[in-house]
Amino acid sequence: MPAPRVVAVAPGSAAARAGIDVGDEVLSLNGRVPRDVIQWRRLADDADIDVEVRRRGRSIPLTVTKRDGEPLGAEVSSALFDRVRTCDNHCAFCFIYQLPQGLRSSLYLKDDDYRLSFLYGNFTTLTRFTEADLERVLLEGLSPLNVSIHATDPDVRATMLRNRRGATSLRWLRALLDHSVTVHGQVVVCPGVNDGAVLEDTLAGVLDEYPELASLCLVPLGVSRYNREPDMRPHTPAEAATVVDAAADWQDIYVGALGRRLVHAADEYYLLADRPFPAAEVYEGFPMHEDGVGMARTFERELLGLVAEPTGVQNGFFAWVDGAPADGYRAPRKPPADTGFVCANSHDRSDSDHTSAPVALLTGEYGARVLTPLLAGIGRPDVRVLPVVNEFFGGNTAVTGLMVGADIGRVLAVEPAGGRYLLPDVCLSEGRFLDGTTPADLPRPVEVVATDGIALREALA
Ligand code: SF4
């Protein structure tokens, strides 16, 4: 098992005082070898820790003097130090199978690891979950978790996952719920596969078998131009409307039976069906905001100044593959500036230009449909929205989180110099787009803005 490598040490922290250095490999904490950043944090929480590090091939014992609960102040390079548990399913709808060749290798890794579900909100099918995993989840309080349900009918689920264990692995969902673990569920709705009557059956099955689920989101199948599965196709607007209606009908049923709405359709469905988004209170606290459920409403509230804090975490697509967030699990990855944005590539613009220059917002095609009326509503017709058509992935890929440098560069290349071009940070992971380029590669300077309405409002002020 590779030892975790220290990538940052906070000045004046307990780690700095003990002489822990960037580049050190941490072999043990109090004699124990942490398997992942969850164990790391638990071990590092103790008072006065004996730390063994490897530096330039030599093992060095260090003593960290600190109070119980005082942060260690050392950040490590990855979330999992042992191997990530990979997925043994072969879903026809898997987006990883639909990636173009030649991207960084970490993007092709299919994970099905409950620890990444806890740390980053990844979804797990539980097909590789074990009794020992359940024990650890309960012992260490690893809650909430996100579980891919797709269908409650065992045969349909096994067929969708192309794994016979898919028929039985929801028994672990039952076990998690029995032990009061908070679990959010997801159904990736594939037209002709698990929509229509199958979806109705699943929503009924959730009520019968898993009524303690904290929430259930319905998200549409994403189909890139590299899809090779003939049965996988995007929803038609009529099919999207059917899903929106099913969510609304079942919200009524769930409210009657459970006192809460439970199920929510992703924002994409409302855009595709050309229906208004539900009111903010319908989302019951936006539990699956990270999964694209209610983002339009939260963005609106933030932009209008109706809330003081942004909603949820914007880790970005594939965020987990590039290492653990600095503050441990579920820490927001926002640019550091107090203003909510940083100039990523602003070498050719003076400060005086900054306030007077025309502003344009780069966003995906779906984001453009949300932002355009919002900007008109706040009296900023001067701010242009620049939709970035996703030719890189193609198909029905239109979300902002999957924008890449190649497409943004094509849009910016025909825009005038001297403008302010704001770029939401959700399309960046550790400063890189999914195609491996960075904002510095773009033909115009851009300002990277945290992907929430508050940061945008401040950037436009
Ligand atoms: S479970 Fe997830 S990662 Fe695994 S094949 Fe299915 S969609 Fe892909």
Side-chain angles (χ1 to χ4, degrees), residues 87 89-91 93-97 110-112 125 161:
C87 161
N89 307 310
H90 305 279
C91 311
F93 53 89
C94 182
F95 199 72
I96 292 174
Y97 294 145
K110 295 190 307 166
D111 81 277
D112 201 348
T125 63
L161 300 185

Side-chain angles (χ1 to χ4, degrees), residues 236-418:
T236 65
E239 287 166 341
T242 306
V243 174
V244 167
D245 290 339
D249 292 346
W250 277 92
Q251 284 180 346
D252 290 342
I253 296 169
Y254 289 140
V255 165
L258 307 172
R260 58 202 174 92
R261 292 183 179 86
L262 185 75
V263 67
H264 304 282
D267 290 7
E268 283 179 69
Y269 275 120
Y270 295 90
L271 293 169
L272 188 54
D274 205 14
R275 299 272 191 91
F277 294 110
E281 59 271 19
V282 171
Y283 289 100
E284 299 181 326
F286 300 99
M288 291 316 293
H289 176 262
E290 288 167 73
D291 211 27
V293 181
M295 270 187 179
R297 277 290 177 235
T298 58
F299 204 95
E300 177 185 40
R301 295 197 312 168
E302 293 157 2
L303 189 66
L304 296 179
L306 302 178
V307 287
E309 294 287 332
T311 310
V313 177
Q314 289 281 347
N315 276 333
F317 284 79
F318 298 100
W320 71 271
V321 298
D322 290 317
D327 300 332
Y329 36 85
R330 291 187 183 274
R333 291 180 160 199
K334 297 232 171 103
D338 291 341
T339 51
F341 70 92
V342 292
C343 296
N345 180 16
S346 55
H347 48 272
D348 59 352
R349 184 179 54 233
S350 71
D351 282 343
S352 57
D353 291 337
H354 181 83
T355 50
S356 58
V359 184
L361 310 182
L362 293 152
T363 183
E365 288 178 278
Y366 284 144
R369 288 181 56 193
V370 173
L371 280 171
T372 302
L374 286 181
L375 290 167
I378 61 168
R380 292 300 302 262
D382 57 308
V383 178
R384 288 186 307 136
V385 175
L386 292 180
V388 177
V389 175
N390 199 318
E391 293 183 3
F392 186 80
F393 291 115
N396 66 349
T397 312
V399 295
T400 304
L402 290 175
M403 289 196 304
V404 299
D407 291 320
I408 298 167
R410 192 187 62 247
V411 170
L412 284 175
V414 295
E415 290 294 322

